[in-house]
Amino acid sequence: MTDSDLLRDEAQYCSFGDTVHYIDPPKIFARCEGSYLYDTEGKPFLDLQMWYSAVNFGYANKRLNDALHRQIDVLPQLACQYLHKEKIELATAIAKRVEKTWGTKGRIHFNVGGAQAIEDSLKIVRNASGGKSLMFAFEGGYHGRTLGASAITSSYRYRRRYGHFGDRAQFIPFPYCYRCPYGKKREDCGMFCVDQFARLFDTEYYGVWDPKHGSSEYAAFYIEAIQGTGGYVIPPPGYFEKLKQVLEERKILLVDDEIQMGFYRAGKFWALENFNVKPDIIVFGKAVTNGLNPIAGLWAREDLITPAIFPPGSTHSTFASNPLGTAVALEAVKMMEEEDYETMTREKGAYFLQGIQDLKKRHKIVGDVDGLGMALRIEITAEDRYTPDKAMTDKIVDIAMSGDLDANGKKVGLVLDIGGYWKNVITLAPSLTISYEEMDLAFNLLDQLFTRAARG
């Protein structure tokens, strides 16, 4: 069948409820390798978002593919009510990693996707807090689109058609210093945003605190150390340390959503390691299997997940700890222990950040760039370098997907993703294994894109 035939059938028989139809017409890809996707004509597209950071270690990574092949031949299927060694070894490896990092013992609980793991974490939080169903979360935060995850995801767009969410989170401004919601400047603000959160506990009449009982109505604060869908916004040093102090004083749990930023995306195994605070729960997914097989999970502090309070049957998913997913994830974790990804991502991230800083100097439509590890952002604006320009951002992405950019005389495409509060941020999550030559190509292609888009 031709692409036209496939798109005709897709338009008639596939749901439009997912995100495929953000692009018109939808793009069909046929194969992948390394940092590239290839369309049905064999044209390469350099991918700078790697499936929302699910493919940190490159498409068709041989070592991880081989692990999947081995497991298919030995134990490809097993009901999750039974055990297999890969599950136990994977849980042990991740739990020991957390204990080594933060000195805290805990346990691992698996599920299939990130949103489902968020749901499981909500159960643990509610259970540990005596049934409290209210959470704090950040403006710009994204935790998934199941009903429970939508309640703590800031966008009303994801809730609007599904009735009233009585347990909707109270959303707190994220320290988005380029666009400070309080109009402050980072160099002299004194973490004013944390002070504004702390004031909610000054009196019972601010609605979250009972001073006579010493109890908050809110059980946990769900965070992303670096906002994902919110536009790869990186908080300033010291922010999370000050926030955690407020939470600990009020006995409010800190739940760290590492689904997009975990596994060295931000230069550390966990992104939160960059900010010198200790989480109570960590939720992970995506890159733990390099996108090869759905698996996600959470780590929780021992006292929150001990079998005495979170017994068998507390939650369940048919494919939760499936052998294919745990086998690939185990191999990925071993790979991360054997290779120095921290140095790799720090050095490559610095090189990539310098490249996009140079682009900012040459293009007035680039308002802000920033990065930590291999999580980078380019904010597209009007020529005042501040007013968000969504239309220009959409134009840039459309040109990139046309496959009509020049790479040494050959036509190529560029895969980008848009995030940000105003959908004007190009969020960059290149493969951690991307070569310096491929990064130089990326700068060249982005330069072409910005030039073409600005000229109309």
Side-chain angles (χ1 to χ4, degrees):
M1 298 179 71
T2 66
D3 282 7
S4 296
D5 294 332
L6 290 168
L7 289 173
R8 180 198 62 222
D9 288 351
E10 191 272 345
Q12 183 172 355
Y13 297 112
C14 291
S15 164
F16 279 33
D18 53 27
T19 58
V20 168
H21 294 88
Y22 285 173
I23 299 174
D24 185 23
K27 184 67 180 177
I28 298 175
F29 287 109
R31 70 181 185 92
C32 59
E33 183 178 5
S35 293
Y36 289 91
L37 295 171
Y38 296 84
D39 67 13
T40 54
E41 297 177 349
K43 181 181 293 183
F45 286 71
L46 178 62
D47 194 340
L48 296 184
Q49 62 102 11
M50 298 305 287
W51 198 359
Y52 319 121
S53 191
V55 192
N56 284 4
F57 310 106
Y59 289 116
N61 182 291
K62 186 178 186 307
R63 178 170 174 176
L64 299 179
N65 283 8
D66 287 347
L68 184 63
H69 292 155
R70 289 194 300 271
Q71 192 66 29
I72 287 175
D73 291 336
V74 177
L75 184 67
Q77 297 124 319
L78 184 70
C80 63
Q81 72 190 86
Y82 307 114
L83 287 173
H84 57 285
K85 72 181 183 68
E86 290 79 13
K87 172 188 176 179
I88 300 168
E89 291 176 354
L90 176 61
T92 301
I94 296 176
K96 284 185 174 180
R97 180 68 188 232
V98 176
E99 186 174 354
K100 180 182 178 182
T101 300
W102 283 297
T104 305
K105 290 187 177 294
R107 297 172 186 259
I108 304 297
H109 183 89
F110 292 111
N111 209 312
V112 179
Q116 291 87 346
I118 288 288
E119 295 281 345
D120 289 343
S121 75
L122 286 165
K123 281 189 172 183
I124 290 173
V125 168
R126 287 188 179 206
N127 186 53
S129 63
K132 291 180 181 178
S133 63
L134 296 180
M135 312 293 157
F136 290 112
F138 280 123
E139 294 176 3
Y142 179 88
H143 303 287
R145 301 190 203 183
T146 56
L147 289 175
S150 294
I152 58 172
T153 291
S154 63
S155 178
Y156 173 54
R157 179 167 64 92
Y158 301 139
R159 292 186 295 275
R160 181 179 59 82
R161 293 183 298 276
Y162 308 114
H164 179 62
F165 284 68
D167 56 356
R168 197 209 79 163
Q170 178 158 334
F171 297 108
I172 305 301
F174 193 80
Y176 187 177
C177 297
Y178 178 65
R179 300 185 182 279
C180 177
Y182 298 106
K184 302 291 184 179
K185 297 296 182 183
R186 171 67 190 97
E187 54 270 19
D188 60 3
C189 72
M191 298 295 174
F192 181 82
C193 48
V194 181
D195 294 336
Q196 291 304 294
F197 174 66
R199 71 176 285 278
L200 295 176
F201 303 94
D202 287 347
T203 168
E204 65 185 272
Y205 295 103
Y206 289 156
V208 305
W209 181 250
D210 181 353
K212 292 185 177 179
H213 188 259
S215 177
S216 173
E217 191 174 11
Y218 291 76
F221 201 136
Y222 275 75
I223 70 164
E224 296 166 282
I226 297 172
Q227 292 202 313
T229 300
Y232 283 24
V233 184
I234 301 168
Y239 173 83
F240 276 118
E241 292 93 324
K242 190 172 181 178
L243 178 69
K244 186 62 158 57
Q245 183 178 350
V246 176
L247 298 178
E248 287 186 342
E249 289 172 353
R250 308 303 178 183
K251 297 181 175 59
I252 297 170
L253 299 174
L254 180 70
V255 183
D256 175 28
D257 181 343
E258 295 273 352
I259 295 165
Q260 187 164 165
M261 290 294 159
F263 309 108
Y264 290 106
R265 171 54 57 195
K268 300 280 190 179
F269 192 89
W270 306 115
L272 194 62
E273 292 179 57
N274 290 290
F275 303 106
N276 196 33
V277 295
K278 184 186 298 186
D280 299 297
I281 296 172
I282 303 169
V283 185
F284 58 85
K286 289 190 186 295
V288 72
T289 65
N290 204 41
L292 281 176
N293 196 80
I295 196 169
L298 62 86
W299 170 90
R301 227 175 52 207
E302 174 69 16
D303 60 304
L304 301 176
I305 200 173
T306 176
I309 66 169
F310 201 68
S314 294
T315 183
H316 174 81
S317 175
T318 300
F319 300 99
S321 54
N322 66 86
L324 297 180
T326 52
V328 175
L330 179 61
E331 192 68 23
V333 171
K334 288 178 180 178
M335 188 173 70
M336 287 182 264
E337 291 173 345
E338 294 166 8
E339 300 183 42
D340 188 0
Y341 279 94
E342 184 168 336
T343 298
M344 181 192 304
T345 52
R346 182 177 65 247
E347 292 178 351
K348 288 185 178 180
Y351 187 82
F352 212 116
L353 181 58
Q354 181 61 58
I356 59 177
Q357 286 172 338
D358 290 343
L359 287 170
K360 177 182 175 181
K361 294 175 184 176
R362 298 199 299 273
H363 296 279
K364 293 181 179 180
I365 61 171
V366 178
D368 183 56
V369 299
D370 201 0
L372 185 60
M374 293 290 273
L376 304 116
R377 69 192 310 269
I378 302 174
E379 185 149 349
I380 304 300
T381 64
E383 291 192 0
D384 62 3
R385 295 192 185 273
Y386 189 76
T387 305
D389 195 338
K390 180 182 183 301
M392 179 65 73
T393 311
D394 290 340
K395 184 188 296 185
I396 289 168
V397 172
D398 288 343
I399 296 171
M401 288 299 291
S402 71
D404 192 36
L405 300 171
D406 179 71
N408 300 317
K410 296 181 180 179
K411 295 298 184 182
V412 300
L414 193 61
V415 179
L416 302 173
D417 193 44
I418 296 175
Y421 295 27
W422 288 269
K423 298 302 177 189
N424 71 311
V425 179
I426 298 172
T427 53
L428 300 170
S431 167
L432 305 186
T433 58
I434 191 173
S435 69
Y436 284 88
E437 181 180 8
E438 288 169 336
M439 285 191 278
D440 288 340
L441 174 60
F443 305 147
N444 182 302
L445 298 179
L446 288 167
D447 193 26
Q448 293 180 46
L449 276 177
F450 297 157
T451 300
R452 287 195 198 182
R455 288 176 178 172

